[in-house]
Amino acid sequence: MGTTQITQLPVETLTEVAGFGTRAVHAGSSPDPRTGAVISPISLSTTFAQKSPAVPIGKYEYSRSSNPNRDEFEQAVASLEGGKYGLAFSSGSATTATILQSLSPGSHIISGADVYGGTHRYFTKVAQSHGLETSFTTDLLTDIPSLVKSTTRLIWVESPSNPTLSITDIRAVARLAKQYSIFLVVDNTFLSPYLQTPLALGADIVVHSVTKYINGHSDVVMGVAVLNDDEIYQKLVFLQNAIGAVPSAFDSWLAHRGLKTLHLRSRASSENAQKVAEVLTSNISTGKVLHVNYPGLEIHPNRQVVMQQHRDGLGGGMVSFRVVGGRRGAEAFCQSTKIFTLAESLGGVESLCELPALMTHAGIHASERIKSGVHDDLVRLSVGIEDGDDLVVDVQQALDRATGQANGVNR
């Protein structure tokens, strides 16, 4: 009996002809040529045999440099982001650090002020000590021309931002970046490639904390960068190997497994978040909520940009709001939920809540936090894929209890 040849539609072809869900399931995946296994085996070996010195049997030599599971994951994410190259790292922070390491000492960075606390920490506490300077602004489009210096090399954007869900017109910033010959990096963690593809909007590099929506099951810490430029890729792939902040084969396999259902999870969490944001907004008139941040609401100040940038105008799975009662009211809300778990991180199948001022953004000075809208009474929700009606009930009962406990407290 002859051996059946197993073939796979090339990733490039999938990128061109297939829909997102098809690429999510098949990009970077092919049946094992030896066993026919539909799901790739986990390649735990750290080293690979060679036929003669410096002549490996296959394409692999040492797993820090490359590994079958990592390669497959990188190919899959690149396909979904519409990029040529994907580079996986051991965390989202490691991804950020490696990109900044590619800049020469003395380089200047322009960043949105409302960014993940870990990103802000790296810019101000680590990159600065390596000779990099960062200017933060709450209005990139307006301020970029006045902030650009002869040494400016990179613009860093989060859209939606963490945690106030502000939206940046990526295409407009990309035009400015190209006008000044500056690279544009967009952190797409809050949306995932299902809802937004920054490379198509003009970004040079898109980054993710894979820990969040891409993996989606709160069991992997990992990051990824996707890009098209050959020269930037050569710099980053060298640093990926030289610095060695790479994910394990098992983590790569888990993240690739999670990626296959990204389109289903992203849409479900977005639809649930819309319901939660609407019930929170209805509580502004009852005196229990001060303000709601959610890109899916018609009242969002940049809703028109959302309609242009996000798939089907969906707002994503993240919501933040200011609760009546100040910090005490916010703490009471998070301690009163029954389905939402009080915990850091986001993007998993389960719903989470947290207080950025005390948790994810605690390392940022209070005056800077407040200037960016991160008040002590701000609650951030990562809305999961549970039944939406159950989440609405949970939010309402927690809100009722929290504002009742905080009644009479100055805010």
Side-chain angles (χ1 to χ4, degrees):
M1 177 184 267
T3 302
T4 302
Q5 182 67 37
I6 301 170
T7 60
Q8 179 204 16
L9 193 63
V11 173
E12 293 81 5
T13 304
L14 283 169
T15 301
E16 293 172 3
V17 306
F20 189 97
T22 302
R23 284 180 286 131
V25 172
H26 293 287
S29 298
S30 59
D32 185 88
R34 185 172 65 87
T35 67
V38 173
I39 299 300
S40 299
I42 304 170
S43 182
L44 294 175
S45 183
T46 58
T47 190
F48 300 84
Q50 303 189 14
K51 291 181 285 190
S52 60
V55 182
I57 290 175
K59 63 176 288 189
Y60 300 102
E61 299 179 42
Y62 187 60
S63 274
R64 171 168 48 78
S65 301
S66 59
N67 171 278
N69 299 115
R70 194 173 90 214
D71 282 1
E72 291 173 351
F73 172 76
E74 290 173 341
Q75 290 168 18
V77 178
S79 172
L80 297 185
E81 280 287 5
K84 186 176 181 180
Y85 304 109
L87 291 169
F89 298 88
S90 55
S91 68
S93 294
T95 309
T96 300
T98 303
I99 290 171
L100 297 190
Q101 185 70 36
S102 71
L103 302 178
S104 302
S107 295
H108 175 243
I109 302 161
I110 300 173
S111 172
D114 180 20
V115 293
Y116 166 55
T119 301
H120 188 280
R121 178 176 60 239
Y122 195 89
F123 282 153
T124 57
K125 302 293 176 62
V126 183
Q128 189 176 43
S129 67
H130 292 168
L132 302 181
E133 178 191 3
T134 304
S135 298
F136 295 97
T137 173
T138 56
D139 190 343
L140 281 165
L141 276 177
T142 300
D143 294 344
I144 283 175
S146 63
L147 291 174
V148 169
K149 304 179 179 182
S150 61
T151 55
T152 305
R153 297 290 179 267
L154 187 148
I155 297 172
W156 190 280
V157 172
E158 278 187 18
S159 185
S161 65
N162 182 2
T164 64
L165 287 303
S166 63
I167 297 294
T168 298
D169 187 334
I170 296 172
R171 198 183 299 277
V173 173
R175 284 195 294 267
L176 278 174
K178 285 175 173 53
Q179 178 182 333
Y180 292 103
S181 300
I182 302 169
F183 289 116
L184 172 61
V185 179
V186 175
D187 186 335
N188 201 26
T189 297
F190 260 36
L191 287 183
S192 87
Y194 177 69
L195 296 179
Q196 177 174 267
T197 49
L199 294 180
L201 299 171
D204 296 292
I205 305 174
V206 57
V207 299
H208 291 270
S209 171
V210 173
T211 310
K212 315 307 192 294
Y213 284 105
I214 287 179
N215 177 62
H217 293 79
S218 301
D219 53 11
V220 166
V221 174
M222 197 166 151
V224 74
V226 180
L227 62 156
N228 286 312
D229 187 274
D230 296 339
E231 184 178 350
I232 302 176
Y233 170 74
Q234 290 302 326
K235 281 186 179 181
L236 294 182
V237 75
F238 172 81
L239 291 171
Q240 181 194 44
N241 181 54
I243 296 172
V246 295
S248 71
F250 185 49
D251 282 353
S252 299
W253 185 90
L254 282 174
H256 196 180
R257 174 217 58 181
L259 185 70
K260 293 176 184 293
T261 58
L262 176 61
H263 53 302
L264 305 176
R265 293 182 287 101
S266 291
R267 183 166 285 275
S269 63
S270 292
E271 291 172 351
N272 283 346
Q274 184 73 33
K275 293 180 179 180
V276 168
E278 287 174 359
V279 76
L280 286 168
T281 303
S282 72
N283 276 276
I284 294 176
S285 61
T286 66
K288 296 176 181 178
V289 171
L290 295 173
H291 183 72
V292 180
N293 302 308
Y294 185 63
L297 294 174
E298 293 302 321
I299 60 173
H300 191 283
N302 267 354
R303 178 62 183 162
Q304 286 304 115
V305 178
V306 171
M307 294 299 294
Q308 297 167 9
Q309 289 187 175
H310 298 192
R311 181 188 296 267
D312 299 332
L314 292 169
M318 300 301 297
V319 181
S320 66
F321 68 100
R322 295 182 63 188
V323 63
V324 167
R327 173 175 160 179
R328 180 178 172 182
E331 290 182 359
F333 175 89
C334 290
Q335 292 169 336
S336 298
T337 54
K338 297 178 180 179
I339 298 176
F340 284 82
T341 299
L342 176 56
E344 294 193 4
S345 199
L346 59 105
V349 293
E350 71 289 325
S351 293
L352 304 175
C353 60
E354 67 113 3
L355 301 185
L358 298 179
M359 297 167 69
T360 54
H361 292 66
I364 302 175
H365 192 276
S367 62
E368 293 182 62
R369 279 196 293 101
I370 293 170
K371 184 179 178 181
S372 298
V374 187
H375 298 269
D376 289 347
D377 56 10
L378 185 74
V379 176
R380 191 188 75 179
L381 303 177
S382 173
V383 183
I385 64 171
E386 302 93 340
D387 286 345
D389 291 343
D390 292 336
L391 297 177
V392 166
V393 169
D394 191 33
V395 165
Q396 188 61 61
Q397 67 82 24
L399 201 56
D400 293 342
R401 293 185 63 185
T403 52
Q405 291 177 29
N407 188 35
V409 177
N410 291 329
R411 56 182 190 276

